[in-house]
Amino acid sequence: LFRSSVNDPPTLVPELTHRLLNRTTHVLDPNDEKGHQLSLGQSLPWWLGGGALEAVHAASTGRREVVGEFVDPRDYEQAFVAIDSDARRAARLRLYFSDGKDEFEDLSKLRTVGGLASVAFTDQLAAELDIGHQVRERVFFDDTIRSEDWAVVGTVSWANLGSIGFLFEHTDDPLFLDDPFTPEVETDPRSFFGGSLTWRAGERHDVILFAGQRRGGTACTSGTCYFVPDFEGMELRVSSRF
């Protein structure tokens, strides 16, 4: 089925496009980790306003490798639920909630809540706004450190022409500072702001310009996870589909 392009490769971890959830995606170790992932999608009846319900539950157990040796078993778990308004309407709303933990990353709590609103002004013009808030509790030696993240992503798009967007993130995670071992010096939260401009140069070609700051982290696409480093400056990319 994979070779005939009927199915994509199996998703090993939840792939959620919302900024905070995508950046904290769990990285699976296929050599020493076992678990499951269950996904459910259900349309809602008209007397509940139409729309759809999405639910995902993922959990695994394994041993984290430290300096070439495996340490005590660790657990990963995520429960995600989202409800969407009627897709046939010009204005749509999506509310989502996620709760879990990732002991492989020393996270005893990882809770995210947010909403996405979109509106189609015409057949050619549309706008979208995604706002998310995340609370983390990280076990650091004998202490539990609580931190919060905010993310705001907005986009205005024109069909067959391109889009313009912005990204804002804010965090007070002390382990995300330049040197987490000097918290008495580095206690200020960090903020990131950037803007992007996309031009549809043709049916198969996009030119993407980004300027500003972008926070790094894990990202996953089609079951493949990779780390994206922090970025500050200007970036120009050309994407072509053959």
Side-chain angles (χ1 to χ4, degrees):
L1 291 178
F2 300 144
R3 293 184 178 180
S4 62
S5 301
V6 175
N7 282 341
D8 290 330
T11 302
L12 302 179
V13 293
E15 293 185 10
L16 304 169
T17 58
H18 305 290
R19 177 69 179 177
L20 294 178
L21 293 175
N22 185 268
R23 189 174 45 73
T24 54
T25 299
H26 174 67
V27 179
L28 183 74
D29 181 0
N31 294 320
D32 192 83
E33 192 171 346
K34 297 181 179 180
H36 70 268
Q37 176 177 320
L38 302 175
S39 301
L40 170 67
Q42 177 64 49
S43 59
L44 300 177
W46 64 268
W47 48 270
L48 287 179
L53 177 70
E54 178 186 1
V56 178
H57 183 266
S60 66
T61 301
R63 295 178 297 169
R64 187 176 62 174
E65 186 175 359
V66 179
V67 196
E69 296 183 359
F70 287 107
V71 297
D72 55 310
R74 302 294 175 104
D75 294 327
Y76 158 74
E77 184 176 7
Q78 182 178 19
F80 171 84
V81 62
I83 184 169
D84 292 275
S85 63
D86 193 340
R88 295 169 296 181
R89 298 181 181 273
R92 300 177 57 186
L93 179 65
R94 174 181 174 89
L95 302 176
Y96 58 91
F97 173 79
S98 175
D99 191 22
K101 61 181 179 179
D102 191 348
E103 296 179 349
F104 295 87
E105 300 294 335
D106 298 319
L107 292 168
S108 59
K109 177 179 179 180
L110 190 61
R111 181 171 296 171
T112 310
V113 62
L116 184 148
S118 62
V119 57
F121 300 105
T122 67
D123 293 339
Q124 302 292 321
L125 179 63
E128 184 176 274
L129 180 66
D130 189 351
I131 302 176
H133 176 249
Q134 188 174 83
V135 175
R136 293 187 306 275
E137 290 185 358
R138 188 189 304 273
V139 179
F140 193 60
F141 293 104
D142 295 329
D143 297 328
T144 298
I145 302 175
R146 184 181 186 276
S147 59
E148 299 183 27
D149 275 16
W150 286 92
V152 181
V153 183
T155 307
V156 177
S157 57
W158 294 266
N160 300 321
L161 180 60
S163 64
I164 183 172
F166 73 91
L167 167 65
F168 172 78
E169 285 197 69
H170 182 80
T171 180
D172 63 354
D173 187 352
L175 297 186
F176 190 71
L177 303 176
D178 293 335
D179 188 350
F181 295 100
T182 58
E184 65 279 358
V185 177
E186 304 185 46
T187 57
D188 294 335
R190 295 185 62 183
S191 297
F192 304 81
F193 184 82
S196 62
L197 181 64
T198 302
W199 173 45
R200 295 297 306 274
E203 292 184 358
R204 300 183 178 182
H205 307 283
D206 293 332
V207 179
I208 307 166
L209 176 65
F210 175 85
Q213 299 171 317
R214 184 170 57 212
R215 180 178 179 180
T218 304
C220 292
T221 303
S222 300
T224 301
C225 298
Y226 52 94
F227 180 79
V228 179
D230 296 345
F231 177 83
E232 181 175 1
M234 184 172 292
E235 175 187 74
L236 179 64
R237 291 188 294 125
V238 178
S239 176
S240 298
R241 298 170 294 278
F242 300 99

